[in-house]
């Protein structure tokens, strides 16, 4: 395919199409915080919501408008005056004015005629333009629409004052080849063309790239690709593909992408699969010995972009595929010195754990190394007492007594369950010593029966440092507490080693 990119604008619909993800509902405050972050990211347009939806939705849009952001603030609207009036009330800059155009939608959803839809599109466009709004006239299910009719309705909308047009691949039916032909066929209408692709066949980003190569100038995207069903085209994937593969720059600050992804994941409660491109936790993680060795020597051998480009971090995972170079590096970081014989013992034990299907955590490695070396593991923090109160109509409450460097700390916490309460109490006890957040919590029953061994794996964050830890016990509460304390001890031990190295240098 021939074609070249024009300037690409980013229309972010995380707060509208993204919020239509099943189970997601954002408060006005959450919407405002996300919009401010999106503006810092550098998107051109923020679709803040659909003003007609509810009073809370309108308040959220008004809050965003009043913030005075650089981005154009847009509201979704159907081609009816009541929707446009709601958008006008909110003070937005523009409306994403959507009309269904496929015969399937016109006949079965609207139960109208093509002529009715044309009339709606023209009248609503004129009404919005007359009230000072920028209008992006959008055709829903456009990729299953008779193409001559699609161009006709867009032409009439443009004559009525529409400033931009958008063709929506509402159920993700395009292929990259057809996307190029389809969007290329709309570029002679005299106004900017937007591409809006859904990901039902996993092709949303590829189809969006093809549309942009064909002459579309604005891409509708969401952070993390969230949205209805399989979601929308992913902002981070599209922007980095443009930046790295096509050498096309947008106004987006790519260094903020990982942080932006995590913010939206927290706000929506929709967390990413680990292997998500660009921003997933495994996007720059390496276990294979060959890969890890190559990355340590020259990152480009197995990384197409650096993690730093998008604000991410590289990490090495220890499992049955791990190579000796990574284990040596980890042992050195722990401040331990081992000869070749002991190193081979450590290496063999890690491989054996991997063959058993075990994830070898930082704490596991330290325990294995110290066991081989005959070193007693240092425990800056030790559990002295744990009391749990939980039951029907009782708020789960935990009190813990910890010994932190010979100083006793006693704290209590409440939570949604006894495990949560215990972890809250521990975090309160460690405030100012090791301020941690629980990044991941995973539990498995290893054996059967009511006395099953429970395997708990946690991932803790302390500033920029992330450690993983595990504990296996018949009691899920104790296993959880010991795993968290194991991670905290690893964080504190690592901190002591770093400080010692800085002092000696």
């Amino acid at each position: 395919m021939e074609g070249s990119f024009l300037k690409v604008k980013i229309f972010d619909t995380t707060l509208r199409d993204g919020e239509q993800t099943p189970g997601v509902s954002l408060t006005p405050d959450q919407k405002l915080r996300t919009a401010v972050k999106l503006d810092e990211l550098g998107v051109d347009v923020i679709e803040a919501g659909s003003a007609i939806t509810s009073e809370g939705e309108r308040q959220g849009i008004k809050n965003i408008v009043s913030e005075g952001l650089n981005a154009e603030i847009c509201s979704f609207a159907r081609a009816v005056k009541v929707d446009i009036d709601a958008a006008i009330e909110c003070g937005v800059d523009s409306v994403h004015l959507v009309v269904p155009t496929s015969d399937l939608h016109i006949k079965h959803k609207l139960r109208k005629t093509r002529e009715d839809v044309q009339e709606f599109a023209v009248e609503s466009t004129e009404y919005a333009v007359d009230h000072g709004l920028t209008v992006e006239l959008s055709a829903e299910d456009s990729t299953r629409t008779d193409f001559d009719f699609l161009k006709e309705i867009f032409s009439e909308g443009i004559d009525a004052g529409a400033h931009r047009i958008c063709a929506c691949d509402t159920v993700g039916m395009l292929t990259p080849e057809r996307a190029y032909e389809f969007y290329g066929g709309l570029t002679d209408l005299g106004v900017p063309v937007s591409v809006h692709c859904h990901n039902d066949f996993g092709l949303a980003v590829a189809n969006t790239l093809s549309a942009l190569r064909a002459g579309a100038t604005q891409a509708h995207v969401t952070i993390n690709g969230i949205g209805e069903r399989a979601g929308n085209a992913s902002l981070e994937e599209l922007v980095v593909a443009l930046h790295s593969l096509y050498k096309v720059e947008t106004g987006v600050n790519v260094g903020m992408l990982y942080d932006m992804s995590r913010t939206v994941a927290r706000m929506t409660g929709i967390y990413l699969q680990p292997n998500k491109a660009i921003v997933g936790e495994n996007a720059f993680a390496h276990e294979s010995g060959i890969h890890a060795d190559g990355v340590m020597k020259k990152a480009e051998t197995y990384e197409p972009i650096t993690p730093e480009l998008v604000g991410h971090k590289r990490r090495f995972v220890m499992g049955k595929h791990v190579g000796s170079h990574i284990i040596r590096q980890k042992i050195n970081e722990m401040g331990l010195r081992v000869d070749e014989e002991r190193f081979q013992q450590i290496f063999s034990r890690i491989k054996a754990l991997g063959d058993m299907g075990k994830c070898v955590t930082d704490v596991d490695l330290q325990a294995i190394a110290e066991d081989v070396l005959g070193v007693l593991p240092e425990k800056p923090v030790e559990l002295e007492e744990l009391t749990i109160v939980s039951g029907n109509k009782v708020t789960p409450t935990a009190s813990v007594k910890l010994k932190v460097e010979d100083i006793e700390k006693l704290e209590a916490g409440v939570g949604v369950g006894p495990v949560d309460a215990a972890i809250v109490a521990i975090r309160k006890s460690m405030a100012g010593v090791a301020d941690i957040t629980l990044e991941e919590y995973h539990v498995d029953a290893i054996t059967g029966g009511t006395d099953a061994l429970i395997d708990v794996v946690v991932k803790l964050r302390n500033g920029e440092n992330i450690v993983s830890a595990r504990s296996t016990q018949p009691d899920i509460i104790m296993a959880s507490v010991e795993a968290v304390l194991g991670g905290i001890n690893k964080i504190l031990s690592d901190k002591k080693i770093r400080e010692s190295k800085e002092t000696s240098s």
Side-chain angles (χ1 to χ4, degrees):
M1 293 185 297
E2 298 298 324
S4 60
F5 291 93
L6 302 173
K7 177 172 172 56
V8 176
K9 289 189 171 184
I10 300 299
F11 180 113
D12 184 275
T13 182
T14 302
L15 296 176
R16 199 276 300 174
D17 222 342
E19 195 189 16
Q20 289 173 206
T21 302
V24 173
S25 181
L26 301 175
T27 66
D29 181 59
Q30 287 174 321
K31 282 208 164 195
L32 176 61
R33 288 160 60 194
T34 305
V36 169
K37 194 96 170 175
L38 286 168
D39 195 56
E40 291 174 9
L41 184 67
V43 304
D44 297 284
V45 183
I46 297 172
E47 189 171 26
S50 177
I52 194 63
T53 301
S54 68
E55 183 57 43
E57 183 83 339
R58 286 189 287 280
Q59 186 58 55
I61 295 172
K62 289 175 183 177
N63 293 346
I64 293 168
V65 169
S66 66
E67 195 70 17
L69 304 178
N70 292 318
E72 174 187 313
I73 307 303
C74 179
S75 171
F76 177 93
R78 297 168 300 173
V80 292
K81 286 184 178 181
V82 65
D83 281 34
I84 299 167
D85 286 338
I88 293 167
E89 178 195 336
C90 293
V92 295
D93 303 306
S94 62
V95 284
H96 178 207
L97 192 62
V98 179
V99 289
T101 55
S102 70
D103 290 333
L104 180 67
H105 278 234
I106 293 171
K107 179 180 178 181
H108 296 284
K109 186 176 80 171
L110 296 182
R111 297 181 179 177
K112 301 288 184 181
T113 65
R114 286 187 177 185
E115 290 71 27
D116 292 330
V117 170
Q118 285 174 293
E119 186 179 334
F120 299 153
V122 169
E123 289 183 355
S124 58
T125 298
E126 289 175 341
Y127 184 76
V129 171
D130 288 345
H131 286 80
L133 292 170
T134 295
V135 173
E136 180 159 330
L137 181 60
S138 191
E140 184 181 13
D141 203 28
S142 62
T143 54
R144 293 191 293 185
T145 298
D146 175 78
F147 196 70
D148 289 336
F149 174 63
L150 181 67
K151 292 194 75 168
E152 183 181 339
I153 201 167
F154 275 146
S155 295
E156 292 180 1
I158 292 165
D159 290 342
H163 304 85
R164 303 187 295 257
I165 58 173
C166 175
C168 299
D169 188 22
T170 302
V171 291
M173 296 293 288
L174 287 177
T175 62
E177 296 81 10
R178 183 161 176 256
Y180 186 86
E181 297 169 1
F182 177 81
Y183 285 96
L186 298 173
T187 57
D188 61 354
L189 292 172
V191 296
V193 177
S194 292
V195 48
H196 181 114
C197 291
H198 282 260
N199 202 40
D200 295 79
F201 289 89
L203 294 171
V205 171
N207 290 336
T208 301
L209 287 167
S210 287
L212 294 170
R213 286 188 67 244
T217 56
Q218 183 168 260
H220 286 211
V221 290
T222 61
I223 300 296
N224 299 336
I226 62 173
E228 293 185 82
R229 304 183 314 281
N232 292 46
S234 159
L235 181 147
E236 57 280 357
E237 292 176 22
L238 179 75
V239 166
V240 174
L242 287 169
H243 172 87
S244 297
L245 302 180
Y246 293 96
K247 311 306 177 190
V248 174
E249 296 303 325
T250 62
V252 170
N253 177 1
V254 293
M256 282 183 62
L257 288 174
Y258 178 62
D259 184 42
M260 187 77 237
S261 167
R262 288 169 54 82
T263 296
V264 170
R266 286 196 301 271
M267 292 287 185
T268 60
I270 304 296
Y271 290 92
L272 302 183
Q273 73 269 29
N275 63 329
K276 171 74 165 65
I278 310 299
V279 291
E281 286 305 311
N282 287 353
F284 300 96
H286 306 275
E287 179 183 329
S288 163
I290 296 171
H291 284 216
D293 182 47
V295 168
M296 288 173 67
K297 290 173 178 173
K298 185 74 171 173
E300 292 89 334
T301 53
Y302 291 103
E303 289 179 348
I305 59 172
T306 65
E308 291 79 15
L309 176 69
V310 295
H312 211 329
K313 283 200 166 190
R314 179 182 299 115
R315 66 189 182 94
F316 297 104
V317 179
M318 291 171 288
K320 69 178 180 180
H321 302 107
V322 73
S324 60
H325 292 80
I326 299 304
I327 303 302
R328 287 187 191 278
Q329 180 178 302
K330 288 279 189 181
I331 290 172
N332 288 337
E333 288 173 359
M334 292 174 184
L336 300 174
R337 301 293 178 88
V338 297
D339 57 28
E340 187 59 29
E341 181 182 353
R342 286 186 173 85
F343 175 78
Q344 288 302 326
Q345 291 179 41
I346 295 168
F347 190 59
S348 296
R349 287 176 62 172
I350 288 168
K351 288 280 191 177
L353 280 172
D355 284 336
M356 293 165 60
K358 296 291 185 182
C359 159
V360 182
T361 69
D362 300 319
V363 174
D364 291 332
L365 175 59
Q366 185 160 356
I368 290 167
E370 288 169 345
D371 186 47
V372 168
L373 291 170
V375 178
L376 288 174
E378 182 182 7
K379 287 190 177 180
V381 180
E382 292 191 69
L383 177 68
E384 294 205 320
E385 289 181 16
L386 170 65
T387 304
I388 301 287
V389 178
S390 183
N392 187 31
K393 297 183 180 180
V394 175
T395 300
T397 306
S399 66
V400 295
K401 182 192 286 186
L402 302 178
K403 183 177 281 188
V404 184
E405 301 284 7
D406 295 325
I407 297 173
E408 285 191 349
K409 287 180 173 277
L410 181 64
E411 284 287 354
V414 297
V416 296
V419 170
D420 186 40
I423 293 174
V424 168
I426 291 170
R427 288 183 60 194
K428 288 171 68 176
S429 299
M430 298 307 300
V433 180
D435 295 310
I436 61 162
T437 54
L438 183 64
E439 294 281 300
E440 289 182 22
Y441 175 87
H442 184 76
V443 59
D444 277 320
I446 297 173
T447 55
T450 55
D451 60 347
L453 277 176
I454 304 299
D455 187 45
V456 173
V457 178
V458 298
K459 187 182 288 185
L460 305 179
R461 179 184 288 272
N462 175 241
E464 293 300 312
N465 300 316
I466 297 178
V467 302
S468 53
R470 164 192 279 126
S471 179
T472 303
Q473 301 245 2
D475 184 326
I476 189 173
I477 299 172
M478 285 307 302
S480 303
V481 167
E482 290 209 353
V484 171
L485 290 178
I488 290 172
N489 280 322
K490 180 74 173 69
I491 288 168
L492 294 176
S493 297
D494 287 349
K495 181 181 178 184
K496 189 174 289 186
I497 290 167
R498 285 196 304 271
E499 290 172 348
S500 174
K501 285 181 179 178
E502 288 169 4
T503 303
S504 62
S505 59

